[in-house]
């Protein structure tokens, strides 16, 4: 028996296709072509026929094909057919098509896809309907209908208006209706047997006619010669044979009749069993009702007893009330005293923690501003926590050093038993507060020759969201060192984490700097050596854990600039990768020793490699107790993070990398370089910024994977490691997981985000009105969106949204699919994303007629925080407000700003509190943009309608004014710029209107 599955409406994935012979009929021509290409790549076209057709009852029948915003309803039915059930349905396209019957398609399959069917009565067809007019599809089956064994409706809407007719049509042709919620109609086996019986009878009748015809010929030839007589005898023999076959067929008919009777008997038996079960069910329901009544009576008794108990309890409690009041008053006095002590202590610790922050003066006793709760992690010890794993399209890879085991060369160079731990354990602090030595926990001072340690590292990394390791490989002109851990990893699939390779292709020196002095083992680069290196890497590439992009193994070269004939080397490398069975290589150049643009060297991308190319001044003067023999440098970790947050994006493909508090004192002792004042919060700001930039880099980029890096998993001798230590515990991993969770999203959403229709990218014309919303709180965004859609025609609006996580972006897309979303760190609150947005409009040469700026303001530290949003929305977004806005912007070309009158307040009160924290920043920013500040009013909450040209001076403000967040409610660059909006508008020659 041969099986054939006919699928009407292509599935979303090839993996959803059933096994065996398949015919896929898809009305969407592009989707059918895409499916065919994917099948061709998989080598599956020998069993699957793709037909891009609209199915009708007859061939060459004209039909209109409607496309809706809900693709499940695409088909021959117009909009009014669905609107009762789907009120939000919108017609996107109407096509004139010529329909074909399913019989025509199956005839093509029979010719193009021959299979060994034998007698075609043995062909069984499963028909899966997910698209189009189901009744027309079935009516067009023709001769093939008798082979249809089951009909499955994958989408009930495919037979929405013909359900009764469909049921009648299928029942008349021997199909059994579905049970329960099932939408699968099966061919009645009794019907099938009757069909086969009729087929057998027809064959017997045909044979009888053939015998009668032969008998006539025998009678006509009975007077012929002896030769004719012999022929007659032969015909008699054939007749006997045919009579025997007739007898055998009759026996088969009898057997089939017996099977029919047996099935009918079995059906009657099961029907009787079903009726008995129904009777038992009724009995059980009756017993259940009786028990419920008994429970009700007992519950009433219980309530009565409980009431009596509560009455007595109340009497007892009243006796204790006076005693409790007195005790409470006593305790409150004690608590107040403790609170005063705690506040003084917390204030002291907070001011100490942010002693060197640019806004530290605002925490001093003179101002004593509070710190709002921040999402970043505190600097403390974190215990291990089991995390919910996620499979995000955004990947974070950690560089991995395999030197934590003894090997021959290190024994010769440094002494017997030397490992990286030898340096780590002997490090000493060199100034007050210097964190040394770094002492590992979890695995302790592990040995990487023991594969169980690598298995546990993989589990720990994956638990906290790390996507893979970039193992360093040390190849020196045909010789490898410290490769044992990697070779063990290849042999042990339980080291269950993806990986790629970083070739550390510099000299090994006694100074740990890769330079030309005190060389222990040198590189001797040549074209031949490079070819041998790639051959050696083949065993890693072929491992199913190796990280590839578009079937290209990812490989990082640490010193691309010292490889001679690099262009020719890369050409040969790519050819060798193809010979290995890959599509090529994805080559990444580490940005070390001055390397910037990788395309100059022929690479696909660059990867940052801090502390290379990070910038900070030496800050030894702010530290105390510095060792007199120290000759190294001390840098400010917060300053390099601030600078990295302000870096612009290059035109070439770049992957971003962050690090922890890099400190190589363990290796270089008193000559080391140290990045002090590290905090988990600053690291999180850096990582969040890198992941946001990765999304931005992927937008309209070709051949760019969503991958970011961290330096490192286990660089213990350089003080930068994700692995837990005695100071922070699992804090490095915990803070990393918290940021990765913000970017947890499927590939499909990232694709939607990077390919969204954005006028700034030139893939859609801008509309008349622009609304820009910064979303930090989703619940407030929903409230804002309801308000604007109630009063503004969204068909005239381009809605831009900036937010700080993929999780929020997915929620925003669920609320409004028309939004154009940008992921940005919560750096500069709503102000810096707004300035960057204005800058993007200028670059794209887009100017909107009118624009509205909003953000999800809560200001929970203020008692009236929620009222600010209400006041702004009520005055700026209403039917009356919209008429005023439209009329005034049209009639007054010098109108630059429209603000809510109740939120437009004076710069200074009698005590000057609205300016006291911001005066120095306002002066600094005004100097930057070339204007003089004059006190007047400002829009509190930074929500307003504006003319784009009136605020373009803002783009002269770069992100260097915005320092990493510590949660201040005032005194930051965002607060200073809030006080400048109306003054900038006035300086540009525009007016401000209060409504």
């Amino acid at each position: 028996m041969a099986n054939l599955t006919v699928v009407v409406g292509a599935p979303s994935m090839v993996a959803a296709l059933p096994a065996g012979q398949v015919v896929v009929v898809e009305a969407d021509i592009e989707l059918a072509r895409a499916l065919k290409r994917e099948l061709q790549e998989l080598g599956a076209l020998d069993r699957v026929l793709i037909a891009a057709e609209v199915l009708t009852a007859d061939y060459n029948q004209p039909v209109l094909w409607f496309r809706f915003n809900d693709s499940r309803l695409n088909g021959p039915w117009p909009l009014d057919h669905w609107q009762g059930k789907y009120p939000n349905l919108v017609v996107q396209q109407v096509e004139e098509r010529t329909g074909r019957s399913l019989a025509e398609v199956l005839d093509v399959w029979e010719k193009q896809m021959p299979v060994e069917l034998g007698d075609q009565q043995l062909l069984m067809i499963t028909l899966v309907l997910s698209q189009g007019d189901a009744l027309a599809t079935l009516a067009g089956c023709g001769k093939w209908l008798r082979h249809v064994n089951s009909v499955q409706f994958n989408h009930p809407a495919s037979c929405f208006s013909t359900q009764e007719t469909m049921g009648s049509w299928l029942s008349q042709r021997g199909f059994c209706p579905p049970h329960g919620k099932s939408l699968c109609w099966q061919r009645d086996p009794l019907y099938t047997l009757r069909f086969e019986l009729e087929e057998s009878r027809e064959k017997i009748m045909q044979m009888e006619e053939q015998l009668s015809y032969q008998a006539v010929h025998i009678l006509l030839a009975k007077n012929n010669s002896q030769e004719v007589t012999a022929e007659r005898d032969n015909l008699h023999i054939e007749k006997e044979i045919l009579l025997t076959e007739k007898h055998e067929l009759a026996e088969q008919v009898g057997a089939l009749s017996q099977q029919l009777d047996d099935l009918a008997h079995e059906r009657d038996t099961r029907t009787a069993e079903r009726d008995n079960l129904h009777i038992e069910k009724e009995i059980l329901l009756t017993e259940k009702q009786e028990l419920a009544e008994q429970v009700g009576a007992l519950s009433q008794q219980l309530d009565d007893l409980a009431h009596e108990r509560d009455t007595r309890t109340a009497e007892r409690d009243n006796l204790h009330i006076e005693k409790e009041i007195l005790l409470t008053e006593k305790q409150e006095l004690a608590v107040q005293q403790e609170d005063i002590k705690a506040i003084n202590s917390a204030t002291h610790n907070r001011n100490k923690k942010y002693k060197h922050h640019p806004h530290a003066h605002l925490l001093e006793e003179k101002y004593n501003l509070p710190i709002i709760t921040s999402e970043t992690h505190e600097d403390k010890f974190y215990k291990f926590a089991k995390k919910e794993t996620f499979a995000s399209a955004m990947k974070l890879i950690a560089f991995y050093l395999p030197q934590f085991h003894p090997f021959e060369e290190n024994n010769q160079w440094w002494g017997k038993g030397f490992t990286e731990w030898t340096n780590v354990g002997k490090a000493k602090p060199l100034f007050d507060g210097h964190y040394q030595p770094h002492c590992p926990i979890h695995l302790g001072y592990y040995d990487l020759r023991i594969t169980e340690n690598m298995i546990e590292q993989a589990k720990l990394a994956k638990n906290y969201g790390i996507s893979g390791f970039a193992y360093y490989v040390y190849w020196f002109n045909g010789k490898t060192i410290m490769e044992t851990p990697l070779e063990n990893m290849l042999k042990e699939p339980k080291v269950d984490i993806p990986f790629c390779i970083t070739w550390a292709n510099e000299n090994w020196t006694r100074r740990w700097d890769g330079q030309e002095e005190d060389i222990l083992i040198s590189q001797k680069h040549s074209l031949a050596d490079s070819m041998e290196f790639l051959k050696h890497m083949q065993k890693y590439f072929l491992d199913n854990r190796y990280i590839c992009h578009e079937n290209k193994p990812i490989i990082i070269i640490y010193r691309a600039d010292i490889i001679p004939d690099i262009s020719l080397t890369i050409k040969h490398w790519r050819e060798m990768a193809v010979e290995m069975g890959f599509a090529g290589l994805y080559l990444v150049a580490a940005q070390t020793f001055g390397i910037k643009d990788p395309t100059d060297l022929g690479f696909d991308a660059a990867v940052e490699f801090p502390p290379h190319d990070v910038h900070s001044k030496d800050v030894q003067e702010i530290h105390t107790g510095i060792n007199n023999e120290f000759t190294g440098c001390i840098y400010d970790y917060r300053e390099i993070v601030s600078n990295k947050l302000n870096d612009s994006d290059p035109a070439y493909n770049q992957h971003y990398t962050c690090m922890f508090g890099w400190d190589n004192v363990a290796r270089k002792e008193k000559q080391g370089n140290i990045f002090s004042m590290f905090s988990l919060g600053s690291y999180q700001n850096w990582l969040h910024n890198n992941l946001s930039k990765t999304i931005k880099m992927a937008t309209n980029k070709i051949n760019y994977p969503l991958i970011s890096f961290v330096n490192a998993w286990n660089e213990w001798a350089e003080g930068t490691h994700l692995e837990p230590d005695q100071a922070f515990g699992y804090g490095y991993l915990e803070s990393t997981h918290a940021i990765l969770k913000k970017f947890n999203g499927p590939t499909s959403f990232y694709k939607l985000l990077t390919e969204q229709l954005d006028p700034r990218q030139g893939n859609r014309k801008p509309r008349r009105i622009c609304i820009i919303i910064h979303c930090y709180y989703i619940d407030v965004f929903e409230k804002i969106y309801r308000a604007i859609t109630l009063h503004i025609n969204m068909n005239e609006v381009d809605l831009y949204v900036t937010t700080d996580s993929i999780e929020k972006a997915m929620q925003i897309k669920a609320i409004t699919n028309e939004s154009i979303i940008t992921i940005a760190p919560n750096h500069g609150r709503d102000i810096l994303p707004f300035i960057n947005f204005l800058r993007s409009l200028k670059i794209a040469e887009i100017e909107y007629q009118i624009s509205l700026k909003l953000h999800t303001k809560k200001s929970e530290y203020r008692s009236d925080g929620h009222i600010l949003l209400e006041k702004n929305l009520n005055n700026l977004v209403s039917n009356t407000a919209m008429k005023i806005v439209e009329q005034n912007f049209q009639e007054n070309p010098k109108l630059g700003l429209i603000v809510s009158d109740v939120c437009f307040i004076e710069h200074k009160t009698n005590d000057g509190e609205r300016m006291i924290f911001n005066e120095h920043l306002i002066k600094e920013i005004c100097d930057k943009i070339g204007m003089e500040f004059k006190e007047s009013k400002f829009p509190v909450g930074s929500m307003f309608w504006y003319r784009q040209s009136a605020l373009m001076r803002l783009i002269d403000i770069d992100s260097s004014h915005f320092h990493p967040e510590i949660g201040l409610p005032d005194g930051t660059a965002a607060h200073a710029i809030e006080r400048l909006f109306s003054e900038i508008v006035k300086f540009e020659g525009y007016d401000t209107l209060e409504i």
Side-chain angles (χ1 to χ4, degrees):
M1 177 181 293
N3 293 299
L4 172 65
T5 303
V6 179
V7 180
V8 182
S12 59
M13 296 186 299
V14 171
L17 288 174
Q21 292 290 320
V22 181
V23 173
V24 178
V25 185
E26 169 57 49
D28 189 320
I29 297 173
E30 291 302 320
L31 183 56
R33 289 174 178 170
L35 181 60
K36 187 171 183 179
R37 286 194 299 269
E38 192 169 353
L39 286 166
Q40 191 170 12
E41 292 174 1
L42 296 174
L45 280 177
D46 58 338
R47 67 176 188 88
V48 181
L49 174 66
I50 308 295
E53 302 290 350
V54 175
L55 294 180
T56 55
D58 298 317
Y59 66 91
N60 289 338
Q61 180 176 337
V63 62
L64 291 179
W65 188 263
F66 294 87
R67 295 180 183 274
F68 301 100
N69 56 333
D70 186 344
S71 61
R72 302 174 305 164
L73 307 180
N74 291 349
W77 295 291
L79 180 63
D80 55 5
H81 182 81
W82 299 108
Q83 280 192 324
K85 190 172 182 181
Y86 302 94
N88 296 324
L89 201 62
V90 177
V91 176
Q92 294 183 330
Q93 187 179 0
V94 180
E95 300 178 7
E96 293 184 0
R97 302 286 292 274
T98 300
R100 294 182 68 183
S101 67
L102 183 56
E104 290 181 89
V105 175
L106 292 175
D107 289 344
V108 173
W109 168 79
E110 186 178 21
K111 295 175 182 178
Q112 295 184 2
M113 310 287 286
V115 295
E116 296 297 329
L117 295 179
D119 189 343
Q120 283 216 350
Q121 293 180 33
L122 299 179
L123 176 63
M124 304 298 284
I125 298 176
T126 299
L127 187 55
V128 181
L129 301 178
S130 303
Q131 183 185 82
D133 188 337
L135 189 56
T137 299
L138 289 167
C141 285
K143 69 178 182 180
W144 297 91
L145 181 61
R146 64 176 184 165
H147 298 290
V148 177
N149 186 48
S150 66
V151 180
Q152 178 178 333
F153 298 92
N154 272 3
H155 179 39
S158 63
C159 57
F160 175 76
S161 64
T162 58
Q163 195 167 12
E164 184 177 349
T165 306
M166 181 67 67
S168 174
W169 194 94
L170 289 170
S171 297
Q172 290 174 7
R173 286 156 179 81
F175 289 88
C176 297
H179 296 286
K181 296 184 179 180
S182 171
L183 295 173
C184 183
W185 289 68
Q186 295 287 342
R187 177 82 79 174
D188 187 343
L190 297 179
Y191 182 90
T192 304
L193 289 172
R194 291 192 190 100
F195 177 79
E196 292 176 354
L197 181 60
E198 289 298 326
E199 289 284 315
S200 299
R201 286 174 177 166
E202 288 179 6
K203 284 190 175 182
I204 292 171
M205 292 176 65
Q206 292 173 359
M207 292 173 66
E208 288 177 344
E209 289 177 0
Q210 184 178 2
L211 289 171
S212 298
Y213 178 77
Q214 293 175 351
V216 169
H217 276 276
I218 291 170
L219 290 174
L220 291 174
K222 69 179 180 178
N223 294 323
N224 289 348
S225 63
Q226 186 175 1
E227 183 180 347
V228 173
T229 301
E231 183 180 350
R232 179 192 64 191
D233 293 340
N234 290 333
L235 288 172
H236 276 294
I237 293 171
E238 291 180 6
K239 176 180 178 181
E240 289 299 326
I241 293 171
L242 290 172
L243 288 172
T244 300
E245 291 178 353
K246 174 182 176 182
H247 178 69
E248 290 174 353
L249 287 172
E251 288 178 348
Q252 292 178 15
V253 169
L256 290 172
S257 297
Q258 182 60 45
Q259 291 181 24
L260 183 63
D261 293 340
D262 292 343
L263 287 171
H265 176 70
E266 183 180 351
R267 179 192 62 194
D268 295 340
T269 301
R270 292 185 178 180
T271 301
E273 291 175 353
R274 182 193 63 191
D275 294 340
N276 290 335
L277 288 172
H278 278 296
I279 294 170
E280 291 177 4
K281 177 182 176 183
E282 293 298 328
I283 294 171
L284 289 172
L285 289 172
T286 302
E287 292 175 351
K288 176 182 176 182
Q289 184 175 359
E290 292 173 352
L291 288 172
E293 292 173 354
Q294 294 176 15
V295 169
L298 291 172
S299 297
Q300 184 59 47
Q301 294 177 19
L302 185 61
D303 291 341
D304 294 341
L305 289 172
H307 178 70
E308 182 180 351
R309 180 200 63 196
D310 293 342
T311 302
R312 293 182 179 181
T313 300
E315 293 174 354
R316 182 197 63 193
D317 292 342
N318 288 334
L319 294 175
H320 291 290
I321 289 176
E322 293 183 4
K323 178 182 177 182
E324 292 296 329
I325 290 173
L326 293 173
L327 290 174
T328 301
E329 290 176 350
K330 179 181 178 181
Q331 291 172 355
E332 286 176 351
L333 289 172
V335 169
Q336 288 175 9
Q337 293 176 346
E338 291 298 323
D339 285 346
I340 292 171
K341 292 179 182 178
I343 289 170
N344 291 336
S345 175
T347 301
H348 173 75
N349 292 336
R350 180 197 67 179
N351 294 350
K352 180 180 178 182
K353 176 180 179 181
Y354 296 109
K355 177 180 179 181
H356 301 294
H357 193 276
H359 298 316
H361 65 287
L362 299 177
L363 304 176
E364 297 172 357
E365 186 175 353
K366 178 181 177 181
Y367 304 112
N368 199 27
L369 276 179
I371 289 181
I372 309 166
T373 302
S374 173
E375 284 190 356
T376 55
H377 281 56
E378 296 180 26
D379 292 337
K380 64 178 185 180
F381 186 92
Y382 289 83
K383 295 181 180 180
F384 173 81
K386 182 66 177 175
K387 299 296 182 181
E388 180 182 355
T389 58
F390 45 77
S392 176
M394 178 67 74
K395 307 300 182 186
L396 182 66
I397 298 175
F399 289 102
Y400 182 107
L401 179 67
Q403 195 177 186
F404 296 92
H405 69 288
F407 53 92
E408 181 181 352
E409 289 80 6
N410 263 352
N411 289 339
Q412 296 173 3
W413 298 331
W414 302 102
K416 184 69 174 177
F418 176 89
T419 73
E420 192 76 355
W421 295 122
T422 307
N423 288 329
V424 173
K426 66 182 182 182
K428 298 289 190 297
L430 298 176
F431 55 86
D432 295 339
H434 181 202
Y435 172 37
Q436 281 292 0
H438 287 231
C439 300
I441 60 176
H442 194 79
L443 289 174
Y445 296 93
Y446 53 77
D447 186 335
L448 288 181
R449 292 174 300 179
I450 303 172
T451 311
E452 285 74 10
N453 286 326
M454 298 186 75
I455 294 173
E456 181 60 26
Q457 286 176 323
K459 290 179 180 178
L460 182 63
K462 290 177 70 176
N463 179 67
Y464 284 96
I466 306 302
S467 305
F469 291 147
Y471 294 117
Y472 289 112
V473 165
Y474 298 87
W475 165 278
F476 298 90
N477 195 30
K479 176 183 177 62
T480 59
I481 60 175
M482 69 173 95
E483 195 177 11
T484 300
L486 274 63
E487 291 176 334
N488 291 342
M489 176 272 296
L490 282 183
K491 298 173 187 175
E492 179 51 82
K494 290 182 181 179
V495 184
D496 186 19
I497 191 168
F499 71 92
C500 62
I501 292 300
T502 300
W503 183 16
N505 64 317
E506 65 176 359
N507 296 330
W508 249 38
T509 70
R510 194 169 293 277
R511 298 183 183 184
W512 307 94
D513 58 8
Q515 299 302 315
E516 299 300 323
E517 295 81 18
D518 294 333
I519 295 176
L520 299 174
I521 182 171
S522 64
Q523 289 287 353
K524 296 178 182 178
H525 285 295
S526 67
L527 182 60
D529 180 59
S530 295
M531 300 303 102
E532 288 302 314
F533 163 72
L534 202 72
K535 288 180 184 178
H536 188 72
M537 290 299 101
Q538 182 174 4
K539 63 183 179 182
Y540 296 105
F541 294 165
L542 295 177
D543 190 279
N544 58 11
R545 290 165 291 181
Y546 200 90
I547 301 170
C548 294
H549 173 58
E550 297 178 348
N551 194 29
K552 298 175 182 178
I554 296 176
I555 184 167
I556 302 167
I557 307 300
Y558 181 70
R559 293 288 305 274
D561 59 322
I562 65 174
I563 300 177
D565 300 321
I566 186 64
S567 299
L568 183 60
T569 298
I570 288 176
K571 177 178 180 295
H572 285 306
W573 274 356
R574 296 191 194 278
E575 291 171 352
M576 290 174 67
V578 171
E579 291 173 0
M580 294 176 190
F582 298 101
L585 291 175
Y586 186 79
L587 288 166
V588 183
Q591 291 181 314
T592 58
F593 302 96
I595 293 177
K596 288 291 186 182
D597 188 346
T599 59
D600 294 340
L601 300 170
F603 282 68
D604 298 296
V607 60
E608 293 180 324
F609 212 88
H612 287 272
D613 200 32
V614 299
H615 305 288
S616 167
K617 58 182 177 294
D618 193 318
V619 291
Q620 292 191 44
E621 70 276 2
I622 68 173
H623 292 285
T624 59
I626 296 179
N627 189 298
N628 292 331
E629 298 178 5
F630 177 66
T631 59
C633 295
I634 304 176
Y635 302 107
D636 188 342
Y637 183 86
R638 300 163 312 168
E639 185 178 359
I640 69 164
V641 171
S642 180
N643 289 333
K644 278 298 179 183
L645 296 185
N646 298 324
D647 275 355
S648 58
D649 298 320
Y652 51 81
N653 286 357
Q654 176 166 289
H655 296 283
Y656 300 94
T657 306
C658 53
M659 68 178 186
F660 301 96
W662 202 88
D663 180 348
N664 66 350
V665 164
R667 285 181 177 170
K668 306 193 75 170
E669 299 180 342
K670 297 181 181 67
Q671 298 176 356
N673 292 320
I674 304 162
F675 288 82
S676 67
M677 291 176 287
F678 167 81
S679 70
L680 294 178
S682 292
Y683 161 69
Q684 285 184 297
N685 286 336
W686 191 358
L687 177 59
H688 193 296
N689 183 71
N690 284 358
L691 300 184
S692 300
K693 284 188 171 183
T694 298
I695 297 174
K696 185 178 179 182
M697 182 67 68
T699 302
N700 287 338
K701 284 277 188 181
I702 300 175
N703 193 30
Y704 182 82
L706 290 166
I707 294 177
S708 190
F709 291 83
V710 59
N711 187 18
W713 174 256
N714 60 346
E715 284 283 8
W716 287 91
E718 293 178 344
T720 178
H721 48 85
L722 277 163
E723 287 187 305
D725 63 13
Q726 290 182 0
F728 290 93
Y730 296 81
Y732 309 113
L733 289 164
E734 187 77 36
S735 55
T736 301
H737 182 271
I739 299 301
L740 289 175
K741 188 175 181 181
K742 286 176 173 284
F743 289 83
N744 177 28
T747 302
S748 57
F749 185 78
Y750 273 97
K751 183 176 177 62
L752 173 68
L753 201 62
T754 56
E755 296 179 358
Q756 58 190 337
L757 296 178
D758 186 344
R760 294 172 298 175
Q761 299 170 14
N763 54 19
R764 182 169 65 77
K765 291 183 179 179
R767 295 172 179 168
R768 192 171 63 88
I769 301 173
C770 163
I771 298 179
I772 171 70
I773 303 174
H774 181 66
C775 174
Y776 191 75
Y777 301 104
I778 287 292
D779 57 328
V780 180
F781 177 82
E782 290 181 302
K783 183 176 184 178
I784 291 175
Y785 184 71
R786 284 196 301 269
I788 63 177
T789 53
L790 183 63
H791 302 293
I792 301 175
N793 180 6
M794 298 305 288
N795 290 326
E796 296 184 330
V797 172
D798 281 334
L799 176 59
Y800 297 89
V801 184
T802 57
T803 190
D804 66 326
S805 74
I806 289 293
E807 179 183 16
K808 291 176 186 175
M810 293 172 69
Q811 291 175 286
I812 292 167
K813 277 294 185 184
I815 296 169
T816 166
N817 193 45
E818 293 297 317
S819 55
I820 304 164
I821 300 176
T822 300
I823 306 298
N826 193 41
H827 177 53
R829 314 282 172 95
D830 61 303
I831 301 299
L832 183 55
F834 177 61
I835 292 173
N836 290 333
F837 170 70
L838 290 177
R839 189 175 289 114
S840 71
L841 291 181
K842 183 175 182 180
I843 293 171
E845 298 182 349
I846 295 172
E847 183 164 1
Y848 288 95
Q849 295 180 23
I850 55 175
S851 302
L852 173 63
K853 178 192 176 300
L854 300 169
H855 70 105
T856 58
K857 187 174 184 64
K858 278 192 176 181
S859 300
E860 293 176 326
Y861 60 92
R862 294 177 53 152
S863 59
D864 64 342
H866 64 288
I867 299 176
L868 289 176
L869 176 66
E870 295 286 350
K871 288 179 178 178
N872 274 301
L873 286 180
N874 289 341
N875 283 17
L876 296 175
V877 184
S878 66
N879 290 334
T880 303
M882 286 306 301
K883 292 178 182 177
I884 296 173
V885 170
E886 294 270 10
Q887 180 179 349
N888 280 276
F889 271 121
Q890 184 175 2
E891 293 178 355
N892 182 4
K894 299 306 291 181
L895 178 61
L897 201 66
I898 296 181
V899 298
S900 167
D901 58 356
V902 293
C903 298
F904 198 49
I905 63 175
E906 299 289 339
H907 277 114
K908 275 194 176 180
T909 58
N910 292 335
D911 57 6
E913 65 176 8
R914 293 177 187 150
M915 291 293 292
I916 192 171
F917 308 116
N918 302 288
E919 286 179 330
H920 69 291
L921 282 172
I922 288 174
K923 183 179 185 309
E924 177 184 314
I925 292 169
C926 284
D927 290 344
K928 174 71 175 178
I929 62 178
M931 69 172 252
E932 182 180 354
F933 174 70
K934 296 180 180 179
E935 293 178 3
S936 56
K937 288 184 173 182
F938 70 97
V940 63
S942 302
M943 288 179 259
F944 44 74
W945 288 94
Y946 65 95
R947 190 184 300 276
Q948 193 172 313
S949 56
L951 288 177
M952 291 309 288
R953 187 171 290 268
L954 284 170
I955 68 175
D956 293 335
I957 304 172
D958 60 46
S959 54
S960 63
H961 297 280
F962 295 86
H963 301 293
E965 287 286 347
I966 61 173
L968 289 173
D970 204 351
T972 70
H975 296 99
I977 293 171
E978 177 185 42
R979 286 151 177 80
L980 287 174
F981 281 125
S982 59
E983 292 306 301
I984 291 174
V985 168
K986 186 189 301 182
F987 186 80
E988 295 290 349
Y990 290 92
D991 303 325
T992 297
L993 174 66
E994 300 178 46
I995 62 173

